[in-house]
Amino acid sequence: ILTILGNSAVLATAVKRSSLLKSPELLTVNLAVADIGMALSMYPLAIASAWNHAWLGGDVSCVYYALMGFLFGVCSMMTLCAMAVIRFLVTNASKSNSNKITKNTVCILIAFIWLYSLLWAILPLVGWGYYGPEPFGISCTIAWSKFHNSSNGFSFILSMFLLCTVLPALTIVACYLGIAWKVHKAYQEIQNIDRIPSAAKLEKKLTLMAVLISVGFLSSWTPYAATSFWSIFNSSDSLQPVVTLLPCLFAKSSTAYNPFIYYVFSKTFRCEVKKLQCCCGWRVHYFSSDNSAENPVSTMWSG
């Protein structure tokens, strides 16, 4: 419910302010699409299976569920990686060069992200890797436990781990460390905090927001990745069902965090959410105009 409501508000705000969206903000919209797509395509089936105390639909629905999870998971990871790279390029480029990142360029990048994610998602369907149920029996994913005795499965999981997890994660960390160093050097050159340009303060705020989004995603999926790789080299029976269930639930909760981060960091997004609430007939307490207004040429809620 939180995922659908929060990300629907993000998409509604993006549609309403489409003419004011800057090109990097399209990646934020793409991240919201991936999150809400995961919630709509997967969570109802998982909830029904939990109430049933067993997986519903057999092998076909299991493969469908695992494919959707892999597709949207890789898409989210690669979108965060692209956001980090673009933030790094914008931060380190001059004002004239930063404008070269056009909406067409970002749209092509988003199309590549979806094609890349779809390619990895369909590989297990054509014989490289496997899909199967989770050890606790009410969810499906990549069949990790089959890989410790299968060279085909192990080569798939190793390639996927490097190209869809390790390299994107290292890229995200490297980009934000580079941005942090750049900002640190810039602030060192300005002795008086009151003289820091408003554009620099906004840049720092947007970077912090992007870092929190990436940290939230990576920290949510790290326990699940750890238990999954444990099952590659050990029998899944060595872990209690609750030990495999909780990391899975925690990983799926990553789809609900981002709208709250936008709400905290963006006055524009807060204002738009209040307007949406008023359209729904809810009573909303408005703050002063100084707290709710934002320069329309400033960025909305993303890097």
Side-chain angles (χ1 to χ4, degrees), residues 162-185:
L162 291 175
L163 298 177
C164 299
T165 305
V166 174
L167 288 180
L170 290 178
T171 302
I172 291 171
V173 172
C175 286
Y176 287 131
L177 286 178
I179 293 172
W181 177 252
K182 177 76 174 181
V183 172
H184 174 69
K185 297 297 291 185

Side-chain angles (χ1 to χ4, degrees), residues 60-246:
V60 174
S61 64
C62 185
V63 170
Y64 159 79
Y65 184 93
L67 186 146
M68 290 294 104
F70 199 15
L71 171 65
F72 291 120
V74 174
C75 180
S76 297
M77 185 65 171
M78 301 310 298
T79 301
L80 291 172
C81 181
M83 288 173 62
V85 172
I86 289 181
R87 278 240 54 80
F88 178 80
L89 294 176
V90 170
T91 302
N92 288 274
S94 62
K95 185 176 181 180
S96 59
N97 291 331
S98 64
N99 293 330
K100 292 182 179 180
I101 303 177
T102 64
K103 286 188 177 182
N104 288 336
T105 302
V106 176
C107 287
I108 294 173
L109 179 59
I110 290 174
F112 173 78
I113 289 172
W114 281 103
L115 290 174
Y116 184 82
S117 305
L118 182 62
L119 172 64
W120 280 102
I122 64 177
L123 285 177
L125 301 181
V126 297
W128 195 31
Y130 313 95
Y131 286 134
E134 299 269 19
F136 51 87
I138 56 172
S139 180
C140 293
T141 185
I142 298 171
W144 306 96
S145 59
K146 292 185 179 181
F147 295 149
H148 66 276
N149 56 3
S150 170
S151 58
N152 176 40
F154 186 78
S155 63
F156 170 78
I157 197 63
L158 181 62
S159 302
M160 185 274 293
F161 178 65
L162 291 175
L163 298 177
C164 299
T165 305
V166 174
L167 288 180
L170 290 178
T171 302
I172 291 171
V173 172
C175 286
Y176 287 131
L177 286 178
I179 293 172
W181 177 252
K182 177 76 174 181
V183 172
H184 174 69
K185 297 297 291 185
Y187 273 61
Q188 273 190 331
E189 296 174 359
I190 305 175
Q191 300 297 328
N192 188 353
I193 191 71
D194 295 329
R195 295 176 56 193
I196 296 177
S198 58
K201 294 179 181 179
L202 177 62
E203 188 75 18
K204 183 178 180 181
K205 182 179 179 181
L206 293 175
T207 300
L208 178 59
M209 182 177 67
V211 168
L212 289 177
I213 293 170
S214 299
V215 168
F217 183 86
L218 294 175
S219 61
S220 298
W221 282 92
T222 297
Y224 179 76
T227 56
S228 298
F229 276 89
W230 172 270
S231 62
I232 294 176
F233 303 100
N234 301 274
S235 171
S236 58
D237 297 334
S238 60
L239 296 175
Q240 295 293 326
V242 68
V243 177
T244 58
L245 172 62
L246 292 180

Side-chain angles (χ1 to χ4, degrees), residues 39-60:
L40 293 175
S41 64
M42 298 171 59
Y43 296 172
L45 185 56
I47 293 170
S49 298
W51 282 103
N52 188 57
H53 300 280
W55 182 254
L56 295 174
D59 293 339
V60 174

Side-chain angles (χ1 to χ4, degrees), residues 6-7 9-11 13 25 27-33 35 79-80 83 205-206 209-210 212-213 255-271 273 294 300-303:
N7 287 286
V10 173
L11 296 179
T13 303
E25 293 176 334
L27 290 170
T28 304
V29 177
N30 190 58
L31 189 60
V33 170
D35 288 343
T79 301
L80 291 172
M83 288 173 62
K205 182 179 179 181
L206 293 175
M209 182 177 67
L212 289 177
I213 293 170
T255 58
Y257 300 154
N258 294 340
F260 292 98
I261 297 175
Y262 304 147
Y263 191 86
V264 170
F265 280 85
S266 173
K267 290 184 288 186
T268 300
F269 184 61
R270 288 198 298 271
C271 183
V273 168
E294 185 176 7
M300 183 168 60
W301 21 252
S302 85

